[in-house]
Amino acid sequence: MHTGIQSPQGVWWKPVRGGEKLWVGIAFAWCLVLFAMMPLWHLRGGQNPSGIRSKVDPQAFMARTQEFIRTYQVGTENGIPVVEPPPGSDIYLMGMMWSWQPVLRLRKGAQYTLHLSSFDVNHGFSLLPFNINFQVVPGYDYGLRITPTEAGDFRIVCNEFCGIGHHLMIGRVIVVDESEPAAAGASSGAAIGGGNL
Amino acid sequence: MAKEGLPPGIVNPPRPLPEKAGESPEEHRTPGTLVLVLVFLAAFVVYYFVNWKLLSFVWRVG
Amino acid sequence: MSADFRTCPTTGLKVHAQADRLIKANAVVGVVALLIGGIAALLLLLTRWQVVHLLPADWFYRLLTVHGMNMLIFFILFFEMAILYFASAVLLNSRVAAPRLAWFSFWLMVAGALVVEWTMFTGRADVLFTSYVPLRATPWFYLGVILFAVGALLVVAIFFATLIVAKKERTYTGSIPLVTFGAATAAIIAVITLGHGAAIYIPTFLWSLGIGNVDAQIYRLVWWGLGHSSQQINVAAMVAVWYLLGALTVGSVVINEKISRIAFTLYVLFISMAAAHHLLVDPGLPPTWKVWNTSYAMYLAVLASMIHGFTVPAGIELGQRLRGYTKGLFEWLRRAPWGDPGFSALIFSIIIFGFVGGITGVTFGTEQINIIAHNTLRVPGHFHATVVAGTTLAFMGLTYYVIPLIFRKKVAFWPLARIQPYLFAAGMLIFSVAMTFAGTFGVPRRHYDISFAQAPFDFQFSPAVDLVMTAMAIGGLLAITGGAIYIAITVWSVFFGKPLEAEVKA
């Protein structure tokens, strides 16, 4: 036998043997499993990044978000409007240097279509402490059907570098129980502790 | 043996093998490596499916 | 002609004087870039470790750009250029084709790198490594990258020309060695990569001058054709170095030339578009596109790495067994030269690349799982295991052979050199695992302040995060110590090292 720095002489196209053959077979089978899980999760799983995708002009998205805020605003917090849209509705969240507009008040167990886009540069939607992450790209509307499964006070951190104020960009999502009355107004909650994962 | 400042592979290079060595089925065996890669595969399978499980805990999204 | 060659007393290879000089120049510049990137790494680490929180925000992001460019582009590509010269001219006993063009390319790359360094350090390019449009840097930044890429492309062309020269001048018999074949696949991937680079940096350069427009999503799509494929150059080059180090340290054999070469070819065929796994939670692309381009239904590039993960250790095992280490399952491993930094670096590179980098990478690159991984610390946790503990550590191990074989010097501070791979590997292992854990709690990557001290809303991570971030800092400091030792050894050996005895000219 020879090493990898020696030129093989003659024909080196030889049959695979023993343990190597077995391993190539096992590894290939595993690779097929890795592939199959993705379509399978689309059919059976509850978390997929598919969404309703379309191009949108940043100005138009800004206008839509402002219309959304005007319609459902219930308060203001730290200068950011708080909105409480009805369950089942289309909701808008816009990333801009360096804030998330608006603060959302959602209902546990209800489905919403969350439209994500950016007014300026790329941002990263990261819902904490759940750790749900999506890329927010200017010029594109990412419409994700979401169902909050837990009540609580959550944060949206920006996890795509967007300039010098990147680390100041933090938004808020409040999820209330089905039983709670509507438009209670946004109360400033204490910090939430603990990772869920 | 190892001269200061020189890797053993240079001071005392591995003995070259005849081209015929290791070709017979009795010699051509690597059982230790097979054990190691199976440990690797087990770790891979566990980590991969643990992550699917973690994913299933978050909000429904689609 | 023959006066231009020397015969290596260790390997018997005929080494062209120009190959010698080009390898030295590229390796030295690579180590300088590693030093710059390493200093940045230390400062970044001491900032992300919230207990110290050293830098102000603007310098944090600036040095993050510096760290990315120096490590992922300048260090690694200069080193890979050296490997290309070694795998073509040296391993094939050939002269370097077009040495004057080779020097021109070298200086072009140096010039491009210097322009980029200048724009970054003067705050004209605070856009991070990925420079996602519409974040805007000075046109000089994009121009510097383009110059560097053109230089690298020319070196790749010289590599292929050298293969042709060697074949024509019959400097070797039979087929090219496996290591050269692996380097050739790295070179082919480099062409694909640099093609994507041109396709995105030229329009972006024009856009920065105010000419035309670049769509933010299209930028991400094409840029990752560069950004990811360039990591695949590293993987192919690293695997070639695995086979090389195995041969040099323990005389490991090639179990089956066919399988190893097919695996290298799979990298070329199935990786270029796999940039898709950076775009799994992007709005511009449909799920069918994402699923297909992540895997091509079969994950054949993953298969390739799993094959090499078998054939490299199996080659070591068989080589050792044939030299008499036949007892039990693992005598071949126990009795291996663990005091040889080339060997220990090789083994740790394989283990951390596979167990940490490989497993996490494939898992996060799964369409849906990416939802709980994208842009968190899990991502840099993954790629520090692949490109630092994997590729860089393998290159470090190789350096301990390059110093005597090419620079003809003794390795300085030998006792330190023997432990350097252990220190670096342990540090990187702790660092990358801790980073991956922190990401599991949603800690964002590329983030100055996860205490959100000045932000409009407060947020407190789980107390466990403090613990893992401390572990990350300890691991990082260990690895940086290992890296500093490596640079000290390299620089001292090359410039002040004891020369080896004079040898016979060919």
Side-chain angles (χ1 to χ4, degrees), chain C residues 50-364:
Chain C
Q50 298 273 159
V51 178
V52 183
H53 208 58
L54 183 69
L55 295 170
D58 55 345
W59 274 97
F60 173 78
Y61 294 121
R62 192 162 298 155
L63 289 181
L64 195 51
T65 315
V66 168
H67 178 64
M69 292 302 289
N70 275 286
M71 294 308 207
L72 283 172
I73 301 287
F74 302 144
F75 154 64
I76 220 145
L77 277 166
F78 274 114
F79 212 98
E80 278 159 359
M81 298 300 120
I83 289 173
L84 288 185
Y85 289 118
F86 178 82
S88 57
V90 177
L91 285 184
L92 298 179
N93 301 298
S94 172
R95 63 187 172 87
V96 175
R100 287 168 79 166
L101 185 64
W103 283 108
F104 173 74
S105 324
F106 170 73
W107 288 112
L108 196 60
M109 288 171 73
V110 171
L114 286 175
V115 170
V116 172
E117 301 282 9
W118 166 71
T119 60
M120 291 189 300
F121 277 103
T122 53
R124 289 173 166 86
D126 293 337
V127 290
L128 301 199
F129 174 60
T130 43
S131 57
Y132 290 137
V133 165
L135 282 178
R136 192 191 293 257
T138 166
W140 289 100
F141 173 77
Y142 308 108
L143 190 65
V145 174
I146 292 167
L147 289 180
F148 181 87
V150 170
L153 198 55
L154 287 172
V155 178
V156 172
I158 292 164
F159 168 80
F160 289 118
T162 306
L163 294 190
I164 293 166
V165 165
K167 181 98 191 154
K168 272 197 150 168
E169 297 178 357
R170 297 171 194 278
T171 60
Y172 65 100
T173 57
S175 307
I176 57 171
L178 180 58
V179 170
T180 307
F181 187 88
T185 59
I188 293 168
I189 299 168
V191 174
I192 299 168
T193 302
L194 296 166
H196 284 101
I200 198 61
Y201 272 107
I202 292 170
T204 307
F205 170 61
L206 295 174
W207 164 78
S208 71
L209 290 169
I211 306 164
N213 210 355
V214 179
D215 182 271
Q217 180 73 73
I218 304 286
Y219 179 92
R220 281 174 58 79
L221 174 66
V222 184
W223 192 89
W224 279 112
L226 162 81
H228 190 78
S229 318
S230 68
Q231 302 320 305
Q232 215 58 36
I233 308 174
N234 302 339
V235 172
M238 173 192 71
V239 175
V241 170
W242 285 354
Y243 286 109
L244 173 60
L245 280 174
L248 289 172
T249 56
V250 292
S252 71
V253 297
V254 181
I255 293 282
N256 185 308
E257 290 277 359
K258 177 175 79 173
I259 287 295
S260 292
R261 286 173 199 236
I262 288 176
F264 271 122
T265 311
L266 290 179
Y267 282 148
V268 178
L269 295 178
F270 293 99
I271 206 59
S272 56
M273 281 300 285
H277 59 238
H278 294 265
L279 312 169
L280 292 174
V281 292
D282 269 35
L285 301 152
T288 43
W289 186 95
K290 291 173 180 174
V291 172
W292 174 253
N293 287 294
T294 308
S295 63
Y296 302 110
M298 288 180 282
Y299 276 103
L300 288 177
V302 174
L303 179 66
S305 287
M306 288 176 80
I307 289 174
H308 290 304
F310 177 92
T311 57
V312 174
I316 296 171
E317 176 171 6
L318 189 52
Q320 290 278 80
R321 281 179 186 276
L322 294 173
R323 290 180 180 86
Y325 301 108
T326 52
K327 268 190 235 115
L329 277 178
F330 294 116
E331 192 199 13
W332 60 276
L333 193 57
R334 264 199 326 275
R335 302 275 303 272
W338 288 97
D340 182 340
F343 182 80
S344 56
L346 164 65
I347 297 298
F348 298 140
S349 169
I350 297 172
I351 291 176
I352 305 178
F353 178 86
F355 275 83
V356 185
I359 291 177
T360 56
V362 177
T363 304
F364 305 160

Side-chain angles (χ1 to χ4, degrees), chain A residues 24-188:
Chain A
V24 174
I26 294 172
F28 184 62
W30 174 239
C31 288
L32 292 179
V33 173
L34 293 176
F35 164 69
M37 279 305 289
M38 292 187 288
L40 195 68
W41 201 264
H42 272 285
L43 294 174
R44 295 292 172 88
Q47 296 80 14
N48 288 289
S50 314
I52 308 155
R53 289 154 286 97
S54 59
K55 292 197 78 161
V56 66
D57 180 66
Q59 295 290 348
F61 192 83
M62 167 73 103
R64 258 180 245 175
T65 308
Q66 279 172 342
E67 171 67 26
F68 167 66
I69 293 170
R70 259 198 306 281
T71 317
Y72 300 117
Q73 183 162 4
V74 292
T76 307
E77 207 186 341
N78 293 334
I80 301 170
V82 181
V83 296
E84 181 165 356
S89 61
D90 281 51
I91 60 179
Y92 293 83
L93 184 71
M94 189 176 68
M96 58 194 294
M97 291 173 172
W98 289 286
S99 69
W100 294 102
Q101 302 279 346
V103 169
L104 296 167
R105 220 177 124 82
L106 307 177
R107 224 143 254 283
K108 182 184 160 187
Q111 198 196 59
Y112 302 85
T113 304
L114 170 65
H115 293 268
L116 288 173
S117 192
S118 163
F119 185 62
D120 35 51
V121 297
N122 274 268
H123 295 287
F125 172 91
S126 181
L127 186 72
L128 296 178
F130 274 104
N131 196 15
I132 299 173
N133 305 281
F134 290 97
Q135 186 77 21
V136 180
V137 182
Y140 290 81
D141 177 350
Y142 207 168
L144 294 157
R145 281 156 299 224
I146 55 160
T147 312
T149 49
E150 205 175 304
D153 186 0
F154 306 107
R155 296 289 179 271
I156 307 160
V157 161
C158 179
N159 66 6
E160 183 61 81
F161 175 68
C162 57
I164 182 71
H166 166 51
H167 49 280
L168 306 175
M169 185 168 165
I170 180 166
R172 186 174 180 202
V173 177
I174 304 144
V175 179
V176 297
D177 265 316
E178 295 96 327
S179 53
E180 214 164 300
S187 58
S188 62

Side-chain angles (χ1 to χ4, degrees), chain B residues 4 10 14 16 19-20 27 31 37 47 50:
Chain B
E4 191 79 348
I10 289 178
E19 189 59 41
K20 283 269 177 287
E27 279 184 322
V37 292
Y47 190 77
V50 162

Side-chain angles (χ1 to χ4, degrees), chain B residues 5 7 9 14-15 27 32-33 51, chain C residues 251 317-318 323 354 378 400-401 411:
Chain B
R15 167 169 66 84
E27 279 184 322
T33 302
N51 270 276
Chain C
E317 176 171 6
L318 189 52
R323 290 180 180 86
R378 300 181 96 183
Y400 298 117
Y401 278 80
V411 179

Side-chain angles (χ1 to χ4, degrees), chain C residues 379-391:
Chain C
V379 176
H382 149 72
F383 70 69
H384 280 84
T386 54
V387 84
V388 188
T391 306

